[in-house]
Amino acid sequence: MYNILIYLYLLGVAIYSLFDKKVRRMWRGEREAFGILKANVDPAEEYVWFHAASLGEFEQGRPLMERLRQEHPHYKILLTFFSPSGYEVRKNYEGADIICYLPLDTPVNALRFLRLVKPVMAFFIKYEFWYNYLHILKHRKVPVYSVSSIFRPGQVFFRWYGHEYAHVLRCVTHFFVQNEESRRLLSDIGINSATVVGDTRFDRVLQIRDAAKDLPLAEAFGRGHKVLVAGSSWPPDEEVFIDYCNEHPEWKIIIAPHVVSNDHLGQIRSMLKMPSVLYTEATEETVAEARCLIVNCYGLLSSIYRYGQVAYVGGGFGVGIHNVLEAAVWDMPVIFGPNNKRFQEAQGLMEAGGGFEIDGNEAFRQLMERFANDDAVLRKAALVAGDFVKGQAGATARIMDAVM
């Protein structure tokens, strides 16, 4: 049944690729993967295979790859992606020796891929349990590790109709899971090769903080003021924090929207009732005079958070919040919308007292006024947020110590 569904999916992707640019890139990239492997795999080398579905999973796997490179340089690293949003951004990542799409999990593709690569071990980051790849790896006695994985009761593996597919989990040599619930769920279906180690994302955001860029424009913008940094924002988020900041001149605001397009930037500027400037057009003189700095380019957000006192992370009024840890690592309280229940790091941050859920304009107003009027409250929340990130670090070391 699984293979029938895979071939139907393959047909669907082929048809949809005719109409969608992103799907077309993925379809083309999967077909080109074997050519990349044939041209680059050296049969005399030993390859460790890392698979990340997309960009978020890559960031979770990156500390492991870099630690492996540093401590065991005799291994070569193969990195595969499923999604164009991961591959297109990181196809030139220097920490891997070969980077390509993962061909779809048909029996022929999986056998051909593994015959070419012959990995000595494989790491699957967080999700994605490809039936054919995993069964062939198990048959060949190749160790397979699932890292930063997290499981929930509603997943197919734990439903009555998913028992057969759950057998794919038995192909994994060891699970390094994020929490105790995940370990218990695996144990309930007879899988006991699991250890709670936490999430490698905490290690990654600490790396990002240590490598952060100095941004003189952002520093000049915030000098002498309280600054709210709104990262990865969408229009429903912007309606909340722009409405507040329009009426409260004691706050300056840096907006780094999730989508940087002329239409979205124009929409943001039309909502503002304050002087604003685009980052790419700013000078130290013009940012000092503005109350809103709009970051109209990518790659700066993780460094920009350091120049604020409070962070707002977008997505919580839509598909789900973005990375709250990138903000919290800078010792600042983090505000986000209500769609955060599936995000363990946000739940932990709230429980610690460094994260704050709001459900609309009034809740946001009350929270911001607390921060504005009581420095002790703001300092405590900021300290708790930073300590939460530091206290959760170490998953990378625990995993590497266990497998190497």
Side-chain angles (χ1 to χ4, degrees):
M1 177 60 74
Y2 174 87
N3 287 325
I4 292 173
L5 293 174
I6 282 290
Y7 281 113
L8 289 173
Y9 176 80
L10 185 63
L11 177 62
V13 169
I15 295 171
Y16 197 38
S17 69
L18 300 173
F19 309 99
D20 186 279
K21 185 183 297 185
K22 181 178 178 181
V23 175
R24 188 158 55 249
R25 283 200 300 266
M26 183 180 73
W27 173 241
R28 183 174 61 246
E30 288 182 2
R31 287 181 296 162
E32 293 172 349
F34 288 114
I36 293 173
L37 294 172
K38 284 182 179 179
N40 292 281
V41 169
D42 183 346
E45 300 288 355
E46 292 184 308
Y47 287 88
V48 177
W49 173 24
F50 287 85
H51 176 66
S54 191
L55 189 59
E57 289 79 12
F58 163 81
E59 291 295 333
Q60 288 175 289
R62 183 170 178 169
L64 291 165
M65 286 184 276
E66 295 180 355
R67 177 124 179 198
L68 180 72
R69 175 78 84 195
Q70 179 183 359
E71 297 183 356
H72 304 277
H74 60 284
Y75 287 124
K76 298 293 184 180
I77 294 176
L78 166 67
L79 171 63
T80 61
F81 288 96
F82 182 76
S83 167
S85 60
Y87 177 79
E88 297 299 331
V89 175
R90 293 302 182 188
K91 60 186 175 183
N92 296 316
Y93 170 58
E94 295 181 354
D97 297 284
I98 304 173
I99 304 174
C100 64
Y101 281 93
L102 180 67
L104 196 63
D105 186 33
T106 66
V108 173
N109 281 349
L111 190 60
R112 187 181 176 194
F113 179 94
L114 293 170
R115 280 177 175 169
L116 277 169
V117 179
K118 296 183 175 64
V120 296
M121 67 183 79
F123 291 84
F124 281 64
I125 314 300
K126 193 174 181 178
Y127 295 132
E128 297 214 344
F129 300 98
W130 295 111
Y131 185 92
N132 292 305
Y133 282 106
L134 288 173
H135 275 83
I136 296 171
L137 286 166
K138 182 180 180 181
H139 178 74
R140 295 186 173 191
K141 297 181 171 55
V142 177
V144 177
Y145 304 105
S146 176
V147 299
S148 290
S149 43
I150 187 166
F151 295 95
R152 300 178 181 86
Q155 288 173 299
V156 63
F157 311 112
F158 313 111
R159 298 295 185 93
W160 64 266
Y161 53 81
H163 287 171
E164 183 175 348
Y165 181 63
H167 286 300
V168 72
L169 300 179
R170 301 183 188 281
C171 297
V172 175
T173 307
H174 201 89
F175 291 87
F176 296 96
V177 298
Q178 292 189 32
N179 58 24
E180 179 59 29
E181 181 186 38
S182 297
R183 190 206 62 76
R184 180 185 58 77
L185 286 167
L186 290 171
S187 179
D188 287 346
I189 59 172
I191 295 174
N192 296 306
S193 53
T195 305
V196 180
V197 298
D199 190 346
T200 53
R201 276 181 298 181
F202 290 92
D203 301 322
R204 177 62 189 144
V205 295
L206 288 166
Q207 287 180 338
I208 291 171
R209 185 196 64 182
D210 292 342
K213 307 169 186 175
D214 290 324
L215 301 173
L217 289 175
E219 183 178 5
F221 174 79
R223 194 173 293 130
H225 295 83
K226 280 190 170 72
V227 176
L228 170 70
V229 180
S232 301
S233 63
W234 295 83
D237 304 299
E238 291 147 9
E239 291 176 9
V240 172
F241 58 72
I242 289 177
D243 180 64
Y244 176 82
C245 290
N246 276 335
E247 305 300 327
H248 291 82
E250 66 271 23
W251 287 94
K252 282 192 166 190
I253 182 170
I254 300 175
I255 304 176
H258 184 73
V259 176
V260 177
S261 66
N262 289 334
D263 286 346
H264 191 190
L265 296 175
Q267 183 180 3
I268 290 171
R269 300 194 89 167
S270 71
M271 297 169 65
L272 295 169
K273 299 177 183 177
M274 65 184 82
S276 65
V277 62
L278 297 176
Y279 189 91
T280 59
E281 299 175 358
T283 66
E284 292 195 20
E285 291 74 25
T286 57
V287 293
E289 297 170 359
R291 275 193 57 220
C292 179
L293 175 61
I294 304 172
V295 183
N296 59 329
C297 52
Y298 293 108
L300 298 182
L301 179 58
S302 60
S303 296
I304 272 181
Y305 279 124
R306 71 195 293 184
Y307 298 103
Q309 284 72 50
V310 178
Y312 181 101
V313 173
F317 288 95
V319 295
I321 56 172
H322 295 285
N323 193 339
V324 299
L325 300 180
E326 282 189 344
V329 74
W330 289 107
D331 299 331
M332 59 196 311
V334 186
I335 305 170
F336 38 81
N339 190 356
N340 59 69
K341 306 301 184 291
R342 294 181 295 107
F343 300 85
Q344 180 176 279
E345 67 279 9
Q347 297 296 304
L349 194 58
M350 283 194 291
E351 184 177 342
F356 301 86
E357 176 187 311
I358 55 103
D359 59 6
N361 294 53
E362 179 59 22
F364 183 78
R365 181 191 66 78
Q366 293 179 11
L367 183 58
M368 290 296 289
E369 288 185 357
R370 282 176 57 201
F371 289 147
N373 296 328
D374 194 330
D375 284 340
V377 169
L378 178 57
R379 284 196 303 270
K380 181 179 179 182
L383 181 64
V384 165
D387 286 346
F388 171 75
V389 177
K390 299 180 189 77
Q392 298 294 317
T396 300
R398 290 187 281 271
I399 293 168
M400 294 304 293
D401 288 346
V403 304
M404 302 302 293

